[in-house]
Amino acid sequence: MQTYKIPLVPGPVSVPQKYREAYLTDYGSSDVEDEFFALLSDNISLLRRVLKTKNDVAIGSGEAMSALWGAMKSLVGPGDKFLTISNGLFGHGFGEMAEALGARVEYLEAPDGEFVTAEQTRRKISEFGPDFISAVHCETPSGLLNPLAEIAPAVAESGAIFIVDFVASALGADVRVDEWGIDIGLLGSQKCLSILPDIHATTVSERAWKRAARVNYAGYDALLPWKNVLKTKAMPYTHNWHANKAMNLSLKDSLEEGLENGFRRHEEAAALCRRRAKEMGLSLYAKDEKLSSPTVTAIMIPDGWTWEELDAEFRKEGLAVGGSWGKLAGKVFRIGHMGSQANAELVKRGMDVVEKVISKKL
């Protein structure tokens, strides 16, 4: 493992010392201590404020993918009609998960670097009649922030359960769970929360709970056992007290900064990144800059370079960025300006390195 002078990987992000210190306290057992349940309750209240929801929030241990799989297995079953709205790896992955669970899946795919329109969404819903609709707010591998508010009315009219991944957008961009009609919303810790990848949160609407009760999935990652955990104080497993404390610190810091101020900080870091990239003659993956995420920017790898060569040169200069996966593997590199890394000075230093490196082949 190596620590880099200029950390701009799009998650897991650099963890501030204040949050790392939360792991140094020798906490008791989360199963029996009232103090832990007070902390858990506070985190739930803070997340409701941040995500603009009155829905329940289930906080569990594990990286964000465990929340995603747990929610899918808790609600989706054989024969269910599942519509995946996709313009990237994670969006498409929702459908693949649903297929693995026996659902009848159809995909509404957007062209490269774009997102589907409300009319396309309505038409597909009318043709298919889905029980579930999934979408990703921030497609991290492609640096796109998808305008979910534009398709939300069509989803609401359909009556389908709406499942949304906002792992890489929440706290870096506005997320409105109730206004957008999100029944299941997924949040990870290692992006804008800027803590370790060991805790997650799921927002759950009442009708999503009813669906979970009908499916009654009983796996270790099941969602249903978290429904009344604050009342029963009977958790499905021993919780991560340390991570909950770190989450509490991060959420309070975000609210103290002010959500709008935090969004502005992310937008300014992103705008600087995109401006510098274009000044170097580099191309963004996003076809419309309005779709560029404030938390991560995907830049096309310039002619004459491979990702492996570029990555090696960046690392020599102390810069760590991300590559990508799927069809974008080897085609883009990504700057992660999210959470603790949404810092204009840090991004400037990173882009200075990018300019220095690519100039070697101009």
Side-chain angles (χ1 to χ4, degrees):
M1 185 190 79
Q2 187 172 354
T3 298
Y4 292 91
K5 293 186 297 182
I6 310 173
L8 287 171
V9 174
V13 304
S14 178
V15 180
Q17 182 174 344
K18 176 181 179 180
Y19 304 155
R20 283 184 272 129
E21 288 176 350
Y23 289 81
L24 302 179
T25 299
D26 188 17
Y27 290 111
S29 170
S30 64
D31 295 305
V32 297
E33 303 287 348
D34 285 339
E35 185 182 359
F36 171 77
F37 286 97
L39 175 63
L40 186 64
S41 177
D42 193 33
N43 279 345
I44 290 170
S45 296
L46 293 169
L47 284 165
R48 283 175 169 154
R49 290 175 61 187
V50 165
L51 301 172
K52 299 179 173 64
T53 184
K54 295 179 181 178
N55 287 346
D56 288 337
V57 180
I59 301 174
S61 292
E63 198 269 338
M65 270 298 182
S66 58
L68 175 49
W69 266 115
M72 292 286 284
K73 288 185 283 186
S74 293
L75 273 71
V76 181
D80 288 332
K81 298 171 76 175
F82 195 102
L83 174 61
T84 292
I85 296 174
S86 169
N87 64 345
L89 182 72
F90 288 120
H92 195 87
F94 264 122
E96 294 172 340
M97 289 180 178
E99 287 177 346
L101 296 170
R104 297 163 54 194
V105 178
E106 292 198 9
Y107 296 84
L108 179 57
E109 303 270 11
D112 287 351
E114 300 179 23
F115 192 59
V116 299
T117 66
E119 181 54 36
Q120 288 171 327
T121 304
R122 280 196 171 86
R123 189 181 312 120
K124 187 64 178 179
I125 289 171
S126 178
E127 293 170 357
F128 184 43
D131 303 301
F132 296 88
I133 298 174
S134 69
V136 173
H137 192 206
C138 174
E139 264 291 355
T140 330
S142 49
L144 301 175
L145 188 75
N146 296 320
L148 298 188
E150 295 179 9
I151 65 166
V155 175
E157 291 162 12
S158 75
I161 290 176
F162 196 20
I163 304 177
V164 172
D165 169 348
F166 43 68
V167 170
S169 59
L171 292 170
D174 199 10
V175 173
R176 297 176 174 266
V177 168
D178 290 357
E179 184 178 319
W180 297 345
I182 297 172
D183 293 291
I184 292 288
L186 305 160
L187 173 66
S189 56
Q190 74 274 27
K191 305 289 187 178
C192 296
L193 277 169
S194 304
I195 58 179
L196 300 179
D198 58 359
I199 193 168
H200 60 255
T202 307
T203 64
V204 191
S205 71
E206 188 54 41
R207 66 188 193 133
W209 281 129
K210 290 178 181 177
R211 179 74 184 202
R214 193 168 89 193
V215 172
N216 201 28
Y217 169 60
Y220 181 80
D221 55 353
L223 192 56
L224 195 58
W226 294 98
K227 187 177 190 324
N228 296 309
V229 73
L230 291 179
K231 295 178 182 178
T232 64
K233 296 185 178 179
M235 294 182 294
Y237 49 74
T238 299
H239 217 317
N240 189 333
W241 195 326
H242 305 77
N244 269 278
K245 181 60 178 179
M247 173 185 278
N248 190 260
L249 294 171
S250 177
L251 289 169
K252 286 179 176 176
D253 282 348
S254 294
L255 289 168
E256 183 177 347
E257 178 184 18
L259 293 179
E260 292 298 328
N261 291 332
F263 301 155
R264 190 176 306 111
R265 173 168 55 85
H266 281 79
E267 288 284 3
E268 289 172 355
L272 172 61
C273 178
R274 296 194 295 265
R275 177 176 60 78
R276 288 290 305 276
K278 288 188 288 186
E279 287 174 352
M280 297 175 211
L282 299 174
S283 299
L284 305 180
Y285 174 74
K287 293 290 190 294
D288 184 343
E289 198 163 328
K290 292 179 181 178
L291 287 181
S292 292
S293 174
T295 59
V296 55
T297 296
I299 301 170
M300 304 302 294
I301 290 177
D303 291 342
W305 290 92
T306 66
W307 159 242
E308 291 76 16
E309 291 172 335
L310 206 56
D311 184 41
E313 290 298 317
F314 288 162
R315 289 172 185 266
K316 288 177 185 177
E317 300 291 335
L319 170 65
V321 301
S324 196
W325 302 276
K327 66 181 182 181
L328 289 182
K331 295 182 180 178
V332 305
F333 68 96
R334 297 174 304 135
I335 308 294
H337 35 72
M338 58 178 67
S340 62
Q341 297 171 187
N343 177 292
E345 178 56 32
L346 179 66
V347 172
K348 177 187 178 300
R349 289 168 57 205
M351 297 310 287
D352 285 347
V353 170
V354 172
E355 185 170 21
K356 177 180 179 181
V357 168
I358 67 168
S359 67
K360 294 179 180 180
K361 291 192 179 183
L362 292 179

